[in-house]
């Protein structure tokens, strides 16, 4: 089979698949993020923390809304040197893994303007590590919870 004939067959197959597409009944999302920790107990100014790559949080949220009003989400985030750096502050980090349930009602249904107010609640794990002056102040995982409200656009 020649390349031209292969391209024609592939194009025809794609056209047939595209014409047979059905209405979607679920909404999925992937939301990678990067954040900067500043203020409060974490310390430092916003400018200092933006300049220091060691205070950056990396993570992602993965979620899925079914055809109805319920969905699920998994949020994972990691920060190295969450508690800062220094001569006495040793290795430290913060990891969160938070699965959650989502309840969102689309305004006007699935055919409406594409706005969905939602509430989310979950229970997960927070893992903290902090060595200070050679002592392990925090080391281990604890139960954590999250509550949130927002608006999705689709």
């Amino acid at each position: 089979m020649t390349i031209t004939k292969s391209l024609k067959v592939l194009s025809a197959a794609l056209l047939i698949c595209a014409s047979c597409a059905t209405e979607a009944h679920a909404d999925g999302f992937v939301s990678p993020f990067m954040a900067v920790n500043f203020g409060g107990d974490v310390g430092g100014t916003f400018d200092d923390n933006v300049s220091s790559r060691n205070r950056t949080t990396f993570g992602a949220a993965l979620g899925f809304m079914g055809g109805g009003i319920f969905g699920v989400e998994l949020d994972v985030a990691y920060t190295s040197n969450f508690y800062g750096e220094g001569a006495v502050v040793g290795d430290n980090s913060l990891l969160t893994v938070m699965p959650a349930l989502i309840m969102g009602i689309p305004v006007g249904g699935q055919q409406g303007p594409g706005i969905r107010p939602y509430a989310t609640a979950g229970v997960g794990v927070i893992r903290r590590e902090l060595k200070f002056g050679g002592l392990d102040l925090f080391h281990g995982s604890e139960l954590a919870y999250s509550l949130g409200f927002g608006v999705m656009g689709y």
Side-chain angles (χ1 to χ4, degrees):
M1 187 184 288
T2 66
I3 293 177
T4 306
K5 190 171 182 179
S6 298
L7 287 175
K8 287 180 184 178
V9 170
L10 180 61
S11 298
L14 288 174
L15 184 61
I16 290 169
C17 288
S19 65
C20 296
T22 61
E23 182 179 326
H25 294 286
D27 303 317
F29 62 90
V30 176
S31 179
F33 60 85
M34 185 174 94
V36 175
N37 297 304
F38 66 96
D41 294 335
V42 182
T45 65
F46 181 74
D47 188 46
D48 290 341
N49 287 305
V50 169
S51 300
S52 172
R53 295 174 192 235
N54 293 330
R55 299 294 292 271
T56 306
T57 299
F58 296 97
L62 309 160
F64 173 82
M65 290 297 295
I69 63 170
F70 293 103
V72 293
E73 177 185 34
L74 176 65
D75 183 287
V76 179
Y78 176 77
T79 307
S80 65
N81 296 318
F82 181 80
Y83 298 101
E85 299 175 295
V88 229
V89 179
D91 293 337
N92 65 88
S93 63
L94 184 73
L95 170 71
T96 59
V97 179
M98 192 68 58
L101 295 175
I102 304 170
M103 185 175 83
I105 302 172
V107 175
Q110 294 291 333
Q111 306 302 322
I115 297 172
R116 183 188 308 241
Y118 71 92
T120 179
V123 176
V125 175
I126 182 169
R127 180 170 179 78
R128 303 180 298 171
E129 281 195 46
L130 172 60
K131 292 182 181 176
F132 188 82
L135 300 172
D136 279 339
L137 294 182
F138 298 127
H139 184 75
S141 302
E142 294 183 28
L143 213 54
Y145 69 92
S146 72
L147 298 172
F149 302 93
V151 177
M152 293 181 196
Y154 55 94

